Amino acid sequence: MSDRAIRVLNVNDREIPRYVNEEMLRRERYEVTSVAFGYDALAAVDTGDFDVAVLDVQLPDVDGFEICRRIKGNPKTAPMIVLLTSATFVATKNKVRGLDAGADGYLAQPYEGAELVATLRSLLRLRAAERRAQALADELRASIRVRDEFLAMLGHELRNPLAAVTSALAVIQRDRRPATLDHHLKVLHRQSATLDRIVGDLLDVARLQRGKVSIEHASVDLRDLALRCTQALAEEIRSSGHRLELDVPDAPIVVTGDLVRLEQVIANLVTNAIKYTPHGGNIRVGVSRAGGHAFLEVTDDGIGLSPEMQQHVFDVFVQGKQSIDRSRGGLGLGLAVVRQLVELHGGTVSAESPGEGKGSTFLVQLPIAPDEQEFVAPVEEDTIPGVEPTALRIVLIEDNDDARETLADALGQFHHHVQTAPDGLAGLDLVLQQRPDVALVDIGLPGLDGYEVARQIRARLHGVAPRLIAMTGYGQPDDRQRAADAGFDMHIVKPVSLKHLRKVLANIEARLA
């Protein structure tokens, strides 16, 4: 029921019982309409919006059983609660007849006023519970529909890059000419990046919804971050034929937050604008401050948002209209990630649009850093200033043959000396024999899992153990803590980013130098 007063239709041809019922119900703050005849009751039900009918069975024109049947037989009035009352028809067969006609309750007269009120309260609670259950069932059906649509969409999004990867590999196997290799290696790079982004979005949403994402607070210049993000997306913007306008101040605008996560917010918003703006459109990225808040605004003149989409555009798996070929792609996760990350930073994000076909504006509001101390300047991942690259002795323990071989080859190209093992026992023996600088250990190993490998290495090598780096598909805080408890120095989530791994190894090189 809503917050409005309960509306009761009180039907009884006898004046005194009708009056007594009305007074008792009004004391309970119910809105009461009283009538004496059956046809008057049917007319009132047809024109009014009643929650309950307290209906006497014995009426001069049409009995209460028939009125109840008509109320319950009409889809418009069927949800109405009908409480039959009678001083004459009180036998069991009469009550059965009334309940079979659809009545929700049956009271024999005379009854106390408290009994009438308590019965109505019970029936109203039951009806409210039924409505809540129906709402939950409707919500569940809607969730299942969204899930099914999402799974179909995920299959489509995964098949596209996988098809391109498969085709590129097939071509490379037949044609090893340099021009062919160069072209199809670029295809493999782009499509593997797409797959990595899809998996990353899925993991981010799962972690955010479970409250498993932690924010590393530092002072960040939002202006500088916007410049860096748009520069990183410059090629994608140019290939889409869009024109980008940057409107940023000369002075830093410092907020407190996680540099990587705020960069993700900006990148997701700009990528969304690129995706939903037709070729040759305009995109504007602005950074400003007012009072104690910083503002990031991303505006486009693309397909716009309907009023309904403006209400749901930040929901998980929600997207704008797609053509059958899904040429814009994506899983509808980027904006959901944006909202949750912004809220973790104590900010808000909103979407506005004049309507479909009229562009959109996304506005992020973040609190200014209290003391506006010197911001953290981002460091390029590929280099560590002042450190000359040196070769590390690395043991890689990974049971997936392809993952082990490709990662070993990549590390070898970075001039590291790599030895590999396919399981935990072999890996442990190799580490104990070779005493490497670094051990990269998969957690889900056969025989001896990665946690036990780390514990054994720490126990046997004591203070001369290598730097232990865990590699796993699980990146929740409790997973990281479990790795630390086992003796790992670091924890890297799969799929392993080579850029990130190079930075990690460069830091280790610097300490060993």
Side-chain angles (χ1 to χ4, degrees):
M1 301 293 177
S2 66
D3 293 335
R4 66 170 174 78
I6 301 299
R7 295 173 180 171
V8 181
L9 179 62
N10 176 38
V11 187
N12 199 309
D13 65 321
R14 292 176 297 158
E15 185 175 351
I16 292 177
R18 184 173 69 246
Y19 173 78
V20 171
N21 281 353
E22 183 171 331
E23 286 302 305
M24 285 189 295
L25 295 170
R26 288 191 190 280
R27 283 198 208 109
E28 294 298 315
R29 301 187 183 278
Y30 296 158
E31 291 183 8
V32 184
T33 300
S34 296
V35 298
F37 295 93
Y39 285 117
D40 289 342
L42 290 171
V45 168
D46 190 52
T47 58
D49 182 18
F50 292 99
D51 302 300
V52 180
V54 179
L55 179 59
D56 190 45
V57 171
Q58 191 172 11
L59 296 170
D61 47 359
V62 55
D63 66 42
F65 297 130
E66 179 61 23
I67 295 171
C68 181
R69 272 192 293 270
R70 294 192 189 184
I71 290 173
K72 294 297 185 177
N74 183 344
K76 178 183 175 183
T77 58
M80 187 174 166
I81 295 171
V82 176
L83 175 61
L84 290 177
T85 68
S86 182
T88 306
F89 299 96
V90 296
T92 299
K93 65 178 182 180
N94 304 127
K95 294 179 181 179
V96 170
R97 182 184 175 190
L99 295 172
D100 284 345
D104 299 282
Y106 201 111
L107 280 181
Q109 300 177 28
Y111 47 72
E112 295 289 336
E115 184 181 4
L116 173 64
V117 170
T119 301
L120 284 182
R121 286 176 178 166
S122 175
L123 293 173
L124 287 166
R125 285 195 301 270
L126 180 60
R127 185 53 46 84
E130 289 173 351
R131 290 181 176 177
R132 286 194 296 271
Q134 183 61 50
L136 288 172
D138 292 342
E139 184 178 339
L140 179 60
R141 280 192 290 270
S143 297
I144 291 172
R145 185 179 66 253
V146 170
R147 180 207 63 188
D148 291 344
E149 291 173 354
F150 169 72
L151 289 174
M153 184 167 51
L154 175 60
H156 184 282
E157 290 299 314
L158 289 173
R159 274 192 290 270
N160 278 344
L162 285 172
V165 167
T166 302
S167 299
L169 290 172
V171 171
I172 289 172
Q173 286 176 336
R174 294 192 303 268
D175 186 351
R176 300 299 180 92
R177 289 176 297 177
T180 302
L181 285 172
D182 182 65
H183 172 75
H184 288 285
L185 285 174
K186 289 177 180 177
V187 170
L188 291 173
H189 178 75
R190 286 195 302 270
Q191 299 307 323
S192 61
T194 298
L195 289 169
D196 183 60
R197 186 166 59 247
I198 290 172
V199 173
D201 282 347
L202 288 168
L203 291 174
D204 276 338
V205 166
R207 292 168 187 151
L208 286 163
Q209 290 194 322
R210 292 176 58 197
K212 298 294 186 179
V213 170
S214 59
I215 298 298
E216 297 182 7
H217 291 287
S219 294
V220 180
D221 180 7
L222 194 62
R223 175 207 61 172
D224 182 69
L225 201 57
L227 289 169
R228 286 170 51 82
C229 286
T230 51
Q231 288 170 1
L233 292 168
E235 180 56 38
E236 188 173 349
I237 293 170
R238 280 195 297 271
S239 64
S240 300
H242 299 327
R243 290 175 292 277
L244 174 67
E245 176 189 351
L246 268 174
D247 184 7
V248 297
D250 295 330
I253 296 181
V254 182
V255 299
T256 300
D258 189 306
L259 176 70
V260 174
R261 291 303 187 178
L262 288 177
E263 186 173 16
Q264 187 177 2
V265 166
I266 299 172
N268 281 8
L269 289 175
V270 176
T271 300
N272 184 75
I274 295 170
K275 185 189 304 181
Y276 289 103
T277 300
H279 184 84
N282 297 285
I283 298 171
R284 177 185 172 276
V285 177
V287 177
S288 60
R289 67 173 292 170
H293 291 90
F295 296 90
L296 169 75
E297 187 175 80
V298 179
T299 303
D300 63 69
D301 55 4
I303 66 171
L305 299 168
S306 66
E308 181 182 5
M309 273 298 296
Q310 291 180 50
Q311 300 298 318
H312 300 287
V313 71
F314 295 105
D315 293 348
V316 177
F317 308 143
V318 169
Q319 289 184 310
K321 291 181 178 178
Q322 292 275 5
S323 58
I324 194 169
D325 65 352
R326 291 190 50 77
S327 56
R328 296 187 184 100
L331 294 174
L333 299 177
L335 293 180
V337 170
V338 165
R339 179 178 64 180
Q340 294 179 74
L341 288 178
V342 169
E343 289 175 352
L344 282 176
H345 284 81
T348 60
V349 60
S350 59
E352 294 182 358
S353 174
E356 294 187 37
K358 299 180 180 179
S360 307
T361 296
F362 290 84
L363 182 65
V364 174
Q365 176 179 310
L366 295 167
I368 292 287
D371 52 2
E372 298 198 53
Q373 67 259 37
E374 183 180 354
F375 64 90
V376 174
V379 177
E380 293 294 336
E381 290 189 344
D382 284 343
T383 59
I384 302 295
V387 177
E388 291 294 328
T390 58
L392 293 172
R393 294 175 300 112
I394 299 174
V395 166
L396 170 60
I397 311 173
E398 166 65 72
D399 63 319
N400 183 287
D401 294 340
D402 290 339
R404 183 177 66 252
E405 292 171 10
T406 54
L407 184 54
D409 288 345
L411 293 172
Q413 290 178 348
F414 303 148
H415 308 294
H416 298 302
H417 304 299
V418 184
Q419 292 179 287
T420 65
D423 58 62
L425 287 171
L428 175 61
D429 288 341
L430 188 59
V431 170
L432 295 177
Q433 293 170 13
Q434 299 299 322
R435 306 291 179 92
D437 301 309
V438 178
L440 293 168
V441 186
D442 181 36
I443 294 298
L445 293 169
L448 202 66
D449 68 32
Y451 297 123
E452 187 58 29
V453 169
R455 282 190 285 266
Q456 292 287 337
I457 291 172
R458 290 293 183 201
R460 299 191 190 188
L461 295 183
H462 303 292
V464 293
R467 301 288 289 180
L468 297 177
I469 301 175
M471 300 186 299
T472 174
Y474 300 96
Q476 314 299 352
D478 50 345
D479 300 313
R480 296 178 183 276
Q481 185 59 50
R482 187 178 177 190
D485 292 343
F488 283 103
D489 299 291
M490 294 196 63
H491 180 282
I492 294 178
V493 178
K494 291 183 176 181
V496 176
S497 163
L498 285 178
K499 278 190 175 182
H500 179 59
L501 184 55
R502 287 185 68 185
K503 182 179 179 181
V504 169
L505 295 176
N507 282 321
I508 294 173
E509 293 167 16
R511 293 188 182 96
L512 294 176

